[in-house]
C-alpha cells in the first residue's frame, strides 16, 4: 500500500466494537477540587475552525475522536476518549500505536481493560453510527479531512471541533491548543506543547549538521516509477524544518497555493536537489529497491548517501500524522537515520 493519502482516506479493516457503559472512559486523573472549579469557570469557550466557530457551553465529560492525531491530543491532556477510530496503517496488533498504548496504560485505560476507549472502524469513512452510540458531548476532528456536510451531520450528535486547517494539514500544536481550550485545560496544553517542542530543540542541538542540511520529503515508488512530493503544509516537512533543516526551494516553487502534495515526473528526478530525501518504503524493503531504480538514482541525495527510506510504517506514521505523543517517538526512532544521512551528504 502506498502511503500517499491522509488519515481519513485510508480504509480500516475491522468492525466497531459494541459500546458498553464500562468502556466509556473519561478522565483518568483525579484533579483537585480547586483546579476542577477553575476549569469549569473557563466555560463557555469558542473554538474556531475552517467551518466556523464551535461553542462549548460546559466542560465536556465524554469526548469522542475521529481520524488520527485527535485521540493523541486528548490523551496527552490526561483524558481518555469514550470512542476513537481504530488505527489501520502503521498500527500494532491492537489497532493502535505504541505511543498511544503507552499513554493509555499510564492513564489506567489500556486497550482491553474496563476503562479503555471503544475502538470503531472508519472503513467506510466517518462512522456516524459508532459516534452516536458513544453519546459524546464533544467530538474532536481538528486534524481531519472532514467535509462541510460531514461536519454538519456530526454536529447533530454533539459539538464538533472541525478541522483547524483543511485536508489533514492542521499542525499538532494547533490541534493540542484547540483541545486544551475545549476541555478547560489551556495550561496543560501549553505545557505539553512546550515539553514536546523542547525535545525537538534538544534533538536539533544534538545534531548541529541539520542547520546546514537541505531536504525533500516525498514518496518514491519503484514499482511504477512515481514520485510525489510533500510541500510545506504537510507534517513531514514541518518535522524536518523543526529539527533545523531547510526544505529545498524547488518544492514550494512548484506547489500550488494550498497544495501540500504534488506529483513529480520521474524523468525530472535529477532536478530534485537536496542533501536528504525522505521517503516511505514498503515494510521491510529498506533503500535497495529505490537506490537501484535508474530514474531514482538520479536524485542527488541518493548518490550523496542522503536517502532516508523509512520501511517501518509506524515510524512513518509518527511523522506524517504528527501528534504530541508521536513526535517524541519519532525523535527516538527516526532522527538517528536523518542524522546519519545528513552526515553522509556532508561527506563527514
Amino acid at each position: 500500500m502506498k502511503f500517499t493519502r491522509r488519515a481519513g482516506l485510508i480504509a480500516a479493516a475491522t468492525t466497531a466494537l459494541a459500546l458498553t457503559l464500562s468502556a466509556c472512559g473519561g478522565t483518568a486523573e483525579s484533579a483537585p477540587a480547586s483546579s476542577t472549579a477553575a476549569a469549569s469557570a473557563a466555560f463557555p469557550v469558542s473554538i474556531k475552525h475552517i467551518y466556523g466557530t464551535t461553542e462549548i457551553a460546559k466542560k465536556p465529560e465524554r469526548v469522542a475522536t475521529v481520524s488520527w492525531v485527535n485521540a493523541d491530543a486528548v490523551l496527552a491532556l490526561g483524558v481518555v476518549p469514550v470512542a476513537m477510530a481504530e488505527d489501520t496503517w502503521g498500527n500494532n496488533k491492537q489497532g493502535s500505536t505504541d505511543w498511544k498504548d503507552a499513554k493509555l496504560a499510564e492513564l489506567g485505560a489500556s486497550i482491553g481493560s474496563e476503562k479503555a476507549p471503544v475502538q470503531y472502524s472508519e472503513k467506510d469513512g466517518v462512522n456516524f453510527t459508532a459516534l452516536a452510540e458513544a453519546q459524546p458531548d464533544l467530538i474532536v476532528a481538528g486534524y481531519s479531512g472532514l467535509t462541510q456536510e460531514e461536519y454538519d451531520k456530526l454536529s447533530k450528535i454533539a459539538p464538533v471541533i472541525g478541522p483547524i486547517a483543511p485536508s489533514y494539514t492542521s499542525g499538532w500544536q494547533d490541534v493540542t491548543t484547540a483541545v486544551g481550550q475545549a476541555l478547560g485545560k489551556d495550561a496543560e496544553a501549553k505545557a505539553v506543547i512546550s515539553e514536546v517542542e523542547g525535545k525537538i530543540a534538544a534533538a536539533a542541538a544534538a545534531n548541529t549538521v541539520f542547520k546546514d542540511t537541505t531536504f525533500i520529503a516525498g514518496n518514491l515508488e519503484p514499482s511504477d516509477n512515481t514520485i510525489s512530493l510533500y510541500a510545506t503544509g504537510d507534517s513531514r516537512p514541518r518535522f524536518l524544518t523543526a529539527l533545523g533543516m531547510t526544505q529545498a526551494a524547488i518544492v514550494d516553487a512548484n506547489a500550488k497555493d494550498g497544495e501540500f502534495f504534488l506529483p513529480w515526473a520521474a524523468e525530472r528526478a535529477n532536478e530534485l536537489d537536496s542533501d536528504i530525501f525522505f521517503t516511505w518504503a514498503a515494510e521491510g524493503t529498506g533503500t535497495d529497491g529505490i537506490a537501484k531504480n535508474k530514474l531514482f538514482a538520479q536524485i542527488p541525495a541518493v548518490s550523496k548517501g542522503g536517502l532516508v527510506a523509512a520501511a517501518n510504517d509506524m515510524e512513518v506514521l509518527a511523522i506524517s500524522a504528527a501528534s504530541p505523543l508521536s513526535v517524541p517517538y519519532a525523535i527516538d526512532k527516526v532522527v538517528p537515520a536523518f542524522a546519519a544521512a545528513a552526515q553522509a551528504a556532508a561527506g563527514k
Side-chain angles (χ1 to χ4, degrees), residues 12-243:
T14 59
T15 304
L17 301 176
L19 176 69
T20 61
L21 183 60
S22 64
C24 289
T27 60
E29 54 188 1
S30 54
S34 58
S35 63
T36 301
S40 298
F43 291 87
V45 296
S46 301
I47 310 297
K48 293 183 179 180
H49 48 77
I50 65 172
Y51 297 130
T53 301
T54 296
E55 303 290 338
I56 302 173
K58 61 181 182 179
K59 182 177 175 64
E61 299 295 334
R62 298 177 59 80
V63 183
T65 66
V66 304
S67 185
W68 290 330
V69 176
N70 300 300
D72 292 17
V74 172
L75 287 166
L77 298 182
V79 174
V80 179
V82 295
M84 64 183 187
E86 183 179 43
D87 295 311
T88 57
W89 196 93
N91 55 293
N92 56 29
K93 293 180 180 179
Q94 300 190 113
S96 180
T97 57
D98 291 353
W99 54 85
K100 195 180 298 180
D101 285 353
K103 191 64 178 181
L104 283 167
E106 178 186 322
L107 297 174
S110 297
I111 292 173
S113 70
E114 183 179 356
K115 295 183 178 180
V118 168
Q119 293 173 283
Y120 66 86
S121 171
E122 285 187 325
K123 179 180 179 180
D124 298 318
V126 179
N127 193 329
F128 298 99
T129 300
L131 289 164
E133 288 176 348
Q135 299 180 327
D137 50 20
L138 177 67
I139 299 172
V140 181
Y143 176 88
S144 70
L146 211 64
T147 66
Q148 177 76 65
E149 181 181 2
E150 291 167 338
Y151 169 80
D152 292 342
K153 189 172 181 178
L154 280 179
S155 296
K156 295 178 180 179
I157 299 172
V160 180
I161 299 178
I164 308 301
S167 302
Y168 304 97
T169 59
S170 305
W172 66 266
Q173 294 98 326
D174 292 336
V175 174
T176 305
T177 296
V179 172
Q181 292 172 342
L183 299 181
K185 291 177 172 284
D186 297 81
E188 291 92 332
K190 291 177 181 177
V192 166
I193 292 170
S194 178
E195 179 182 1
V196 176
E197 288 184 338
K199 291 179 179 180
I200 296 172
N207 296 281
T208 56
V209 68
F210 288 158
K211 66 183 177 63
D212 298 316
T213 300
T214 59
F215 74 86
I216 293 175
N219 190 58
L220 303 174
E221 180 50 66
S223 65
D224 58 7
N225 292 329
T226 57
I227 299 177
S228 304
L229 308 178
Y230 293 101
T232 300
D234 185 79
S235 292
R236 281 154 273 224
R238 284 190 187 135
F239 181 73
L240 296 177
T241 299
L243 288 171

